[in-house]
Amino acid sequence: MKNFTKHSIESAPEASKELLKYGEQKYGAVPNLFKYMAGAPATLEAYNSLFKIFSTTSFTAGEQHLILLAASVVNKCDYCTAAHTRAAKANGVASKTLNAIRKQKQLEDTRLDVLINTTKKITETRGNVSKNDLEVFYNAGFSPENIMEIIVGVSLKTLSNYINHITENVINESLEPFAVGKEIED
């Protein structure tokens, strides 16, 4: 059986080197996910491009990471669950909210709870969300355009979650405090 290569900046194909350098600059170290994707430069470029596009949605940075976290929890991706827990916390999301999402519990904030539940339903049903679920979403103050923005986030997480599963990626040391099974504290 063939193994996936976990590239460094030096070993990566030429088309991936700049994107790995970008990852190192942005995160302080090249994320393991990027190291695996580097072997297929189009994949690394797709991930980075889609992430940049998702960052332009109408959701706040914290909400964006909660959407990505919710999809990752549904997809059982430990790597992305840790990464988006850290990113959401860095963007001001309370530990209580993060712990509830990670344990798939109801949130106290009704609007945020609807956002998370809608993201989970889109992920679980592969986009086959009921009209009733959409009505609940709209009644919470969201729009049809917001649904499309969530789908961009779910698409991003489908890409990275599946790659993490297939490569059997383990979380970076810097993500250890946010690993699945750990309680997030303020």
Side-chain angles (χ1 to χ4, degrees):
M1 182 158 138
K2 294 186 181 218
N3 293 321
F4 292 93
T5 302
K6 193 172 174 183
H7 284 281
S8 65
I9 294 171
E10 296 76 27
S11 71
E14 199 59 41
S16 292
K17 290 182 188 287
E18 287 304 313
L19 291 170
L20 290 178
K21 289 176 187 174
Y22 164 78
E24 182 176 51
Q25 180 183 3
K26 183 173 181 176
Y27 302 107
V30 179
N32 287 340
L33 173 65
F34 284 28
K35 291 176 181 181
Y36 283 116
M37 288 192 293
T43 306
L44 183 56
E45 183 178 359
Y47 179 83
N48 279 294
S49 296
L50 198 52
F51 197 93
K52 287 176 187 174
I53 291 166
F54 185 61
S55 73
T56 69
T57 64
S58 63
F59 295 110
T60 67
E63 289 169 335
Q64 290 169 9
H65 284 289
L66 292 181
I67 289 166
L68 300 175
L69 173 61
S72 297
V73 168
V74 169
N75 287 330
K76 296 181 172 115
C77 181
D78 293 350
Y79 186 96
C80 289
T81 295
H84 295 295
T85 299
R86 178 180 69 181
K89 188 162 178 55
N91 280 283
V93 177
S95 296
K96 184 176 186 177
T97 299
L98 295 170
N99 288 322
I101 293 169
R102 289 161 55 104
K103 294 175 183 173
Q104 300 197 51
K105 304 286 184 190
Q106 185 172 355
L107 303 179
E108 290 178 6
D109 181 320
T110 305
R111 181 183 177 278
L112 199 54
D113 191 60
V114 170
L115 176 63
I116 297 309
N117 282 323
T118 302
T119 301
K120 288 168 44 180
K121 286 179 182 178
I122 289 170
T123 306
E124 291 165 348
T125 66
R126 296 178 186 94
N128 293 296
V129 180
S130 73
K131 288 182 183 191
N132 183 56
D133 288 332
L134 291 175
E135 202 57 42
V136 169
F137 186 72
Y138 301 145
N139 288 337
F142 295 105
S143 69
E145 293 76 19
N146 294 137
I147 286 287
M148 292 186 200
E149 292 176 327
I150 292 170
I151 292 169
V152 173
V154 171
S155 299
L156 175 64
K157 287 299 91 187
T158 300
L159 176 67
S160 62
N161 293 167
Y162 288 12
I163 289 170
N164 283 321
H165 293 317
I166 290 169
T167 62
E168 299 179 359
N169 191 10
V170 295
I171 65 173
N172 298 63
E173 187 177 319
S174 63
L175 294 175
E176 272 301 318
F178 306 96
V180 171
K182 293 192 177 183
E183 192 76 12
I184 307 305
E185 299 180 12
D186 286 324

